Amino acid sequence: MPDIKFVIFDMDLVLYDYDHQIRLKLLEELTGRPAADIDRSVWGGPHENAAEAGDPATAEAYLEQFARLLEFPIDFETWADVRRQMMRPRRDVLSLVRRLKATADIALLTNNGMLLKDALPVCAPETVEIFGEKAHVSAEFGARKPDPLVFERICGRYGYGPEESAFVDDRAENIEGAQSVGLKGHHYVTADGLETFLRACRLI
């Protein structure tokens, strides 16, 4: 049996291309507000980091806060469609993750608020197909990457010790957070690099 039994994947810029500028352009077209103003209002303050750590605690409350910061009424369907349009699946990476399911337990962990959890079937249906109920946003755990707590909590939820677990992310600081509590980390750059890592772990 492999030493690593549980592999946790980030979503944006690992499993999917992610373009914040597309989101800003779409929101500018929707609201008539300049994209730079939207960026400052919605993402320039503390609100998004707090949401990623679980405050607000519900999708509904997150959407209300988003609309307030956007200064424009927005419904779930519009929000989810904007998120969908700013993402593109990385088919080669998703194929690797599908292969991995034969030898390891897997989960998704993305720094996001509770609204994205509800929107995954719309904007990232592949995550629902591959991970099922193990597709998680950080808000579910009351902490956001790179806080070591989020890694301890997701491993604990599924009954794995950190030493049995690995984590894949595009941000070095998030890898360091995972490694600080004993997970094996892979700093994602390319699909080939990820495949090499998984082979080294005897997982594919």
Side-chain angles (χ1 to χ4, degrees):
M1 292 292 291
D3 295 331
I4 299 298
K5 300 174 182 175
F6 184 43
V7 185
I8 307 160
F9 288 88
D10 180 34
M11 183 175 73
D12 295 322
L13 298 179
V14 175
L15 304 180
Y16 293 81
D17 290 323
Y18 169 96
D19 192 333
H20 183 58
Q21 295 306 311
I22 290 176
R23 172 164 56 186
L24 291 176
K25 179 177 182 292
L26 291 169
L27 292 174
E28 181 179 65
E29 291 171 355
L30 176 69
T31 65
R33 291 184 67 193
D37 287 354
I38 293 171
D39 200 21
R40 280 192 297 271
S41 296
V42 179
W43 290 280
H47 305 90
E48 192 64 20
N49 282 359
E52 291 173 359
D55 180 20
T58 68
E60 294 77 13
Y62 181 100
L63 186 60
E64 289 174 8
Q65 174 177 278
F66 190 91
R68 185 171 66 254
L69 296 170
L70 187 62
E71 299 178 10
F72 192 88
I74 186 169
D75 59 22
F76 170 83
E77 290 76 16
T78 303
W79 188 94
D81 188 58
V82 167
R83 191 55 155 89
R84 179 189 64 79
Q85 292 189 66
M86 66 180 288
M87 302 168 65
R88 292 291 182 275
R90 293 177 171 176
R91 303 294 181 188
D92 51 354
V93 183
L94 291 166
S95 178
L96 275 175
V97 179
R98 288 187 181 95
R99 288 170 57 194
L100 179 62
K101 289 180 72 173
T103 55
D105 201 358
I106 60 173
L108 178 77
L109 178 64
T110 174
N111 268 356
N112 269 286
M114 291 302 299
L115 187 57
L116 183 68
K117 175 76 173 182
D118 286 1
L120 285 175
V122 177
C123 60
E126 296 85 359
T127 64
V128 178
E129 173 221 331
I130 295 170
F131 298 99
E133 293 182 355
K134 294 176 183 176
H136 294 290
V137 297
S138 54
E140 295 175 75
F141 299 96
R144 66 185 297 277
K145 302 175 290 184
D147 188 336
L149 275 176
V150 74
F151 303 107
E152 292 177 338
R153 288 172 178 169
I154 192 171
C155 289
R157 175 171 295 193
Y158 294 108
Y160 295 103
E163 72 282 355
E164 301 176 294
S165 307
F167 176 61
V168 179
D169 199 288
D170 64 296
R171 291 181 176 268
E173 63 267 28
N174 294 340
I175 296 298
E176 290 165 6
Q179 290 173 330
S180 74
V181 290
L183 285 82
K184 190 175 185 69
H186 175 69
H187 184 189
Y188 178 87
V189 179
T190 66
D192 287 345
L194 174 59
E195 184 170 7
T196 299
F197 170 75
L198 296 174
R199 288 189 183 281
C201 294
R202 297 181 291 136
L203 290 169
I204 59 170

